[in-house]
Structures are given as structure tokens and as C-alpha cells.
Amino acid sequence: MDTNNIRNLKPERIWNHFADLNEIPRPSKKEDKIIKFIKNFGASLKLETIEDKCGNVIIKKSATPGFENRKKVVLQSHLDMVCQKNNDVEFDFETQGIKMTYEGDWVHALGTTLGADNGIGVAAIMSVLSSNEIEHPAIEALFTIDEETGMTGAFELGEGLLTGDILLNLDTEEDDEIDIGCAGGIDVTARAKYEEKEIDKNFLTYEIKLSGLHGGHSGMEIHKGLGNSNKLLNRFLYDFLDLDIRLVSFDGGGLRNAIPREAHAVFSISQDKKDQLENRFEILYSKIKLEFNSIDSNLTCNLTSIDKATIGLSNEDSKKFISSLQAVHNGVLRMSPDIEGLVEASNNIARVQVENGKAEIQCLTRSSVESSKIWVASSVKAAFELAGMKVELSGSYPGWKPNPSSEILSIAEKIYEKEHGEKPSVQACHAGLECGIIGEKYPNLDMISFGPTIKGAHSPKEKVSISSVQKFWNYLLLILKDIPVK
């Protein structure tokens, strides 16, 4: 790990805390080590440190002299990170620290996600807590768990734990942006069990592999039209359906909140259809490459003959499964009619798996409007049910309704314009932020979200701008210094 060089970046306080964080494994739902680390950090500063019933950590720090009469601020970020790696990288997220380096203005990891989402936010809060020089009002630092795979920490946060007036969420990814709203989400999971049939001895078996896609955040980057490996691979299978293929397996994607980058499938086909299959593959592959050349230029797909499979789905069940995956929409379904440029509703077909006759498809449906979230989820559900699959809706979380009249927003806007000579972009985002959930428990909190520039979040291409971290840090300090009186 190129930690020494990272630690020398400016501001050193943040980069040293970030390097410390990245030495601790912190996958979602497996945060025991990072919880212990943060608790020890608070204790080492002799600050009041609380772990709630689900693993959230709250560290409290008194106001610096002269700031005792200011409103109390909750600084909030999440401890967990999305764990994605390239297939050719050997890495265990449960036991290893992130290996990172930098080139030019960008810090990135070596073949894995970096954890800048939301590790830079956590490091910034740690930097405020560990400083004796920074001027600030009373602070409640809230470090939540499992934001990336269910927002469990925010959902299970107890009432009465926070007494702050203002919440600063440090979990957005453009340094010229202030977020005042976000989308809600719901998990859609379709499952089926098929009776596998014996495959005729004169059939050939093929493996088709698709890789090289950019991937990314299934909320913040869903509008970019990035390739979804599950949908693209299925385009080939759907094109082959009239050749009477037998699906043996399908394995694509990973986490619900990541646009899938890789997928592969195994299927069998009659030997006399071999030439048709290979010709169709080449024709469709060239078309898809052309379609995605400007945004996913590294897309590759290979069709390879392999050892014969003996059993697989029947032709009828193969058609049902492949057709259902073809029918379900992936990507943006509706743009907001009220906020220009905002995605209102989308669906990400994140994970597809068929093995030993068992099939499971995992989607994440998002919307900034609760009624359209349910509409999209029910549309996805209906398509899979028509194919005979059982569908479960779970993990629903609310959006965060914008408050353009927010006092802290007005302060943050003025500071940004004074510092940079232009107004910040005030946005609602299509990602899921914990503000909506926390706001339901603490409705009097005045909330905004901001952060440094991070690109490629939720993918091994994740990187964070060094100059942007400096800008974000200076901005945070100015906001803390300008918090209004009670």
C-alpha cells in the first residue's frame, strides 16, 4: 500500500485518518472491526462515545470557546463501503486493507473500490474531533452502519440519541453541489425453481462471457446510459431463443447499488445450429460494440465451446426466464417534471444467478416520489410474475423531501459563493441518502449534504480528487465557523 505518500497529501489530517480507515476491513453488514476502531478513536480523545443497539457510533464533543451559544451540529457519515473488485484481482475485503495510490489529482485503489464513499466523510469528521484548533459549535458525530446494503443503521437509530439542531451529511460526490433531497428505494427479488432436464447427447455447450464495462453507482450514474452486463448478456441469449437453446447457468453482477460490469452464462444448443449461433453472435456483438463505443469502449464478449453439460433448463423454462429478463426495464424510467435534470424513477437489474435449476434476480428500484417508486417496483414484479417467478419486495426506505427554505442551506450557499465567486448547484439526487430516514426520526433537524468529488463510486474505478478534498475540507470548516446562534 502506498500509504506513506497518501499520508503526505493536503490536508494531511484528513488523508492520515483516511489511510487509517482503509487499513480496517469494513464491508457492509460486517462492520465489527471498524465499529471497534471508531469507538477506540473516540475513547482515545476522551470524548463521550456511545454505541447504540445496532452498531451506530455517536461521539460527542463540546463547543470550542466562544461557540457555546451556537446551534448544535450533527456531523454524519457511514462506516461501511461497497466491496467490488476486478475479476483478475485477488483480494479479501473481510481481512485486507484497501491498497491505494494516486496519479495526478486522483487517489484510487489497486483493482478494488477505494472506499472514499463514504470514508472521506468519516475522515473529515474524525479530523474535526481530533483537532484542538478548529472552531466549532457543540458536535454530535454520527457514524452509521450498513448504509450501502439496507441503511440498517439509519433505520435502527434510536430516538433521543441526538440533540442537535443541524445535520451535515458528508456523503455526496460533486464538490460544487449541495444536496437537499434524495430518492427512496425498494429491493425487488424474483426467484424460481426449475426442474432440470437431461440435455440431448448431440447438443453442444457454450459459455458466453461479457466484461469490461465501466459500472458505477446505480443511483448517481443511472442516467449516463452505462452498459448493464446482465441486460447485455441476456440480449445475446434472447437472440438465440429460436435456436432452441437450453440455459444451464447465468452469473452476473453483484450488489444492488452497483451497475453490473461482468456476467457469464452457459447454455446448450443442437449441433446443427452451431453455424447460425456463431454468426448471430458476431453480428449482434458488433452492433452492441457500436452502440456502447463512446461510453463503454472496453466492452468485450466471448463465445466459447466448452465441455458438454448433461442437464439444464428445458427450452420452455429457458424461454420464460430469458424473456422475463428481456422484458424488465433497466435504467431511467422517468425524469422529474419539477426539477430539471433529476432522475425521478429508475430500476437497476443488479444481480442475476441461475445454478442447479435455482434462479434469482435482484433489482433496486429508486424514485424521489413514493407513489412512482411503488409503481416501478410493481411493474418489475408483474413482469417476473408473468414468467412464473415468486417476487418479494423488501428493504423499502423513504426519500428526503427538499426544503429550499432551509436556514443552513442559505448559510452554505452564501459561504460557497463568497469563496468561489459562483453559486453552488443546489440539487436533489437520485442516490439514497440517510437523511430521509434520520429526518423521520428527528423531524426538527435542518439538513444538507455535501462532499468532495468522487468518480466511479461502487466500482473498482472509484477515485477521489485530491484538490477537491482540500476544497471540501475548507468549506466544512467555514460552515462550522458560521453556524447561527440558538
Side-chain angles (χ1 to χ4, degrees), residues 35 37 137 208 232 238 252 277 359 368 388 399 429 440:
I35 291 170
F37 170 81
I208 182 168
L232 288 178
Y238 186 78
L277 172 74
S368 53
C429 71
E440 285 195 335

Side-chain angles (χ1 to χ4, degrees), residues 221-236:
E221 297 182 286
I222 199 71
H223 64 288
K224 293 182 178 180
L226 296 163
N228 178 305
S229 60
N230 294 326
K231 284 292 281 186
L232 288 178
L233 188 73
N234 196 69
R235 270 180 74 174
F236 288 97

